[in-house]
Structures are given as structure tokens and as C-alpha cells.
Amino acid sequence: IAGGLLMIIPFWWMLVTSIKPPGSVLTVPPELFPRQPTLESYQRVFDTVPIGRMFFNSLVVTVVSVACQIATSAMAAYAFARMQWRGRNVVFLLYIATLMVPSQVTITPLFILMQRLGWVDTYPGLIAPSIVSAFGVFLLRQAMLSVPREYEEAAVLDGATHWTIFRHVVLPMIGPALATLGVFATMSTWNSFLWPLFVTRDERLMTLPVGLALLHGRYTTEWSVVMAGAIISVVPIILVYLAAQRAFVRGVALSGLK
């Protein structure tokens, strides 16, 4: 309970700050319950930046990226976990080794590639780098290794192909792991800041984290406005986690990450 309360305090302070009247944010002693709550800060957020458009951009980028990431990770994980081919383990180790390369190292050549493709300030430029995930492959491979071989052998006896086994046998049995990857991918893509900052210059294509940074630059001392923008950004992530909470916990346990 103490740990839970400790985690809730920053979110509570963010919410309280966002509904405080201007000029009463830094009062001493701090107010944990505002005496005169107001939604004026939220109105100022919508009046200052195209927050609705930025929210839509983040939603499109997140949905497409997460769907592609789950699809590519699941297919690659099946190849590594259930199919026998020469050099499989070596290729898998090399693929997982890419997790040790920081994204900051590859961001410059990646931007040059996007520029040559003409994808700067476009949705493909925002989405393309996040449609694959080495971590997602590792996570789903661990889950697929736990599926008994007897199911696969029975399907082969019935004339099933690899695609049939993948679609109708393996995927339904790793649902919790898929949900776990979905939550991780959603959080990572929704909160991504550095790449959208590099690849977009037009406010109409900016995502929420970049938009919030602009908001902070315009209102350095208006913390109620900044916190209102942060609330708008964090609510979807909380809703996604709460919706997939049971599958998330179960998936972490079954995939061997516990």
C-alpha cells in the first residue's frame, strides 16, 4: 500500500496542479486539494497549440506502429521458436544484440534515410522506424517456446501448414504475451519524443510529446497549463494499461520475464 501511494502521489500532484487557478500553483504550504478548482488551464492548452490534431497524430502513429510491431514480432518469433533452420540461434543472438545499440546512435543515419526517401514531415517517416522490435521478438519467442509441441504435431498430422499452425494454434495460446507486447509498444510509441522531434517540423504532424515541449517553451512559469497538457497525454496510456492489466501480468509471468 505504501509503495502504491508513493507511485500515485506524482499523478495526483499533476492532476491537482492542472486544475488550480493561475497564480496559485506555487503557494506555500502546497495545496493537495485546490480550494477553487477550474478547467481554465485545459482551455488555454487547446487555445495555444493544436492539441486535438497532435492527439490524432499520436493515435494514428501508435495504432499503426503497434499493429505492425505485433505482426512482425509474432512472425519472426515463430520462425525462431518453432521452425528448424541452419544458423537459427546465431541469427537470433545477433538480432537480440541490437538491443544494446542506443537509438541515439542510429538516429542520424535514419534521418538521412528518411530524407532521401522524402518521408520527412510525413506519417510514413513517423511510423516506419517503429514497425519492428527486437524486444518484441524476444518476448514472443519466450512465450511460443512454452507451447507444447504436441499441439503442433497434432496439427501437422491433420495436414496443417506452418501458417495454419501459427494462426490457429500458436497465436491463440500466447494471447497474454501479445497483450503484454501491445502495452509495452503502446507506451513506447505514445511517449516517443526524440524521433518525432527530428522527423517533423510542421505542427500539423507533431505528436503529443513534441507538442507538450512547445507548450512548456511558451509557458515556462505556467505550470498549471503544462500539467494540463501532461494529463491529456497520460490518460490514454493509463486506460490502455487498465484494460490489459490482467493479460499484462499473466504475459510477463508466462514469457519468463518475472
Side-chain angles (χ1 to χ4, degrees), residues 153-176:
E153 293 169 356
V156 171
L157 289 176
D158 288 336
T161 62
H162 276 298
W163 174 254
T164 303
I165 296 171
F166 170 73
R167 174 66 181 84
H168 297 287
V169 178
V170 176
L171 284 187
M173 299 188 71
I174 63 166

Side-chain angles (χ1 to χ4, degrees), residues 37-138:
T38 177
L39 298 178
E40 180 181 347
S41 297
Y42 291 89
Q43 183 62 45
R44 294 183 65 180
V45 169
F46 282 92
D47 292 341
T48 304
V49 294
I51 198 74
R53 177 70 184 186
M54 293 174 178
F55 188 93
F56 175 77
N57 293 338
S58 291
L59 185 63
V60 170
V61 171
T62 300
V63 170
V64 176
S65 297
V66 171
C68 293
Q69 196 173 130
I70 291 176
T72 57
S73 297
M75 290 187 286
Y78 181 84
F80 284 123
R82 314 302 292 191
M83 300 176 68
Q84 299 295 330
W85 42 282
R86 183 177 298 178
R88 181 186 64 173
N89 294 332
V90 174
V91 174
F92 179 71
L93 289 176
L94 291 174
Y95 189 60
I96 294 301
T98 61
L99 289 172
M100 295 185 291
V101 181
S103 60
Q104 292 83 356
V105 174
T106 61
I107 195 167
T108 299
L110 188 60
F111 177 78
I112 295 174
L113 176 61
M114 295 296 113
Q115 193 173 38
R116 291 181 178 178
L117 290 173
W119 285 0
V120 176
D121 269 333
T122 64
Y123 282 118
L126 284 167
I127 295 171
S130 59
I131 62 176
V132 295
S133 169
F135 171 76
V137 174
F138 168 75

Side-chain angles (χ1 to χ4, degrees), residues 220-248:
T220 306
T221 57
E222 291 289 345
W223 290 107
S224 59
V225 177
V226 175
M227 292 302 175
I231 288 289
I232 295 173
S233 177
V234 78
V235 165
I237 293 295
I238 295 176
L239 294 178
V240 169
Y241 176 75
L242 292 177
Q245 184 177 16
R246 290 185 179 180
F248 175 81

